[in-house]
Amino acid sequence: MGMVFGKIGVETPKYEVIKSTNEYEIRKYPPSVLAEVTYDPSEMKGDKDGGFMVLANYIGALGNPQNTKPEKIAMTAPVITKSTGGEKIAMTAPVVTKENGGEGKSRVTMQFLLPAKYAKAEDAPKPLDDRVLIKEVGERKYGVVKFSGVTTDRVVEDKVEKLKMSLERDGHKVIGQCLLARYNPPWTLPPFRTNEVMIPIE
């Protein structure tokens, strides 16, 4: 019942707040380990969750974990989406999606953030599915705005635009695409949802 009212019961990423204003926070995130799969959505027969299923099988979210130990890997939050073409992935898992153009095809890369106990890529169990890659990402810095409610395109675009303007006004250099972080499952009542727009900065 707690999840309906916004309780977050899974691990979330640790970070350091470098600056806090009435409009945004500047956060520094430590290095992390990700599980990643890249696929062509058109080959999933209309199943947009194809990449999610591959990664969910790897961590054992839906049954026996598909890794060499085999070891069940805990889910984390938030769900993070990053897309240049409007690809919508509404999941309750640690996910990053981004579209990669090339050779006339749109490919999607989806990532699960692994729990912090996996400090290096070699610490994580090796996937049985060779489509799953384990990789490390370094320390990174974001400008972040937190908000509740439903993450419609219009709401997110408005938050991103205002955040970009505030960051640039205050002398921060934007260095990449914005991310949308959602911490709650879809059945959480909108007023109790925790969402964040995150923009990478130097």
Side-chain angles (χ1 to χ4, degrees), residues 32-102:
S32 306
V33 177
L34 307 171
E36 175 180 284
V37 62
T38 300
Y39 64 98
D40 181 346
S42 68
E43 294 172 0
M44 292 295 179
K45 300 179 180 175
D47 180 9
K48 288 187 179 180
D49 301 352
F52 175 83
M53 296 302 293
V54 172
L55 294 175
N57 286 334
Y58 162 67
I59 69 170
L62 308 170
N64 293 326
Q66 301 299 304
N67 60 61
T68 53
K69 288 208 174 172
E71 178 180 319
K72 221 172 193 25
I73 300 170
M75 300 290 275
T76 66
V79 176
I80 299 178
T81 55
K82 175 173 142 180
S83 176
T84 55
E87 179 75 9
K88 295 288 186 293
I89 311 286
M91 305 288 178
T92 57
V95 179
V96 176
T97 60
K98 57 185 178 180
E99 291 192 357
N100 304 298

Side-chain angles (χ1 to χ4, degrees), residues 126-168:
K126 187 177 178 183
L128 294 177
D129 189 329
D130 62 10
R131 292 175 294 177
V132 179
L133 302 176
I134 306 301
K135 63 189 291 187
E136 296 172 25
V137 290
E139 186 178 86
R140 56 236 185 260
K141 198 157 60 166
Y142 294 101
V144 182
V145 166
K146 185 179 286 190
F147 61 102
S148 60
V150 180
T151 54
T152 63
D153 288 349
R154 179 168 291 182
V155 166
V156 173
E157 284 167 14
D158 183 56
K159 300 287 182 189
V160 169
E161 188 64 29
K162 286 180 179 173
L163 177 56
K164 274 186 180 173
M165 286 175 63
S166 297
L167 290 171
E168 289 169 353

Side-chain angles (χ1 to χ4, degrees), residues 1-65:
M1 195 66 182
M3 288 193 293
V4 173
F5 293 103
K7 183 179 178 184
I8 301 164
V10 297
E11 182 180 330
T12 58
K14 302 290 184 281
Y15 57 83
E16 175 189 350
V17 177
I18 297 172
K19 177 182 177 182
S20 185
T21 75
N22 291 333
E23 298 172 298
Y24 61 84
E25 282 185 343
I26 301 296
R27 298 179 187 169
K28 183 166 69 175
Y29 286 81
S32 306
V33 177
L34 307 171
E36 175 180 284
V37 62
T38 300
Y39 64 98
D40 181 346
S42 68
E43 294 172 0
M44 292 295 179
K45 300 179 180 175
D47 180 9
K48 288 187 179 180
D49 301 352
F52 175 83
M53 296 302 293
V54 172
L55 294 175
N57 286 334
Y58 162 67
I59 69 170
L62 308 170
N64 293 326

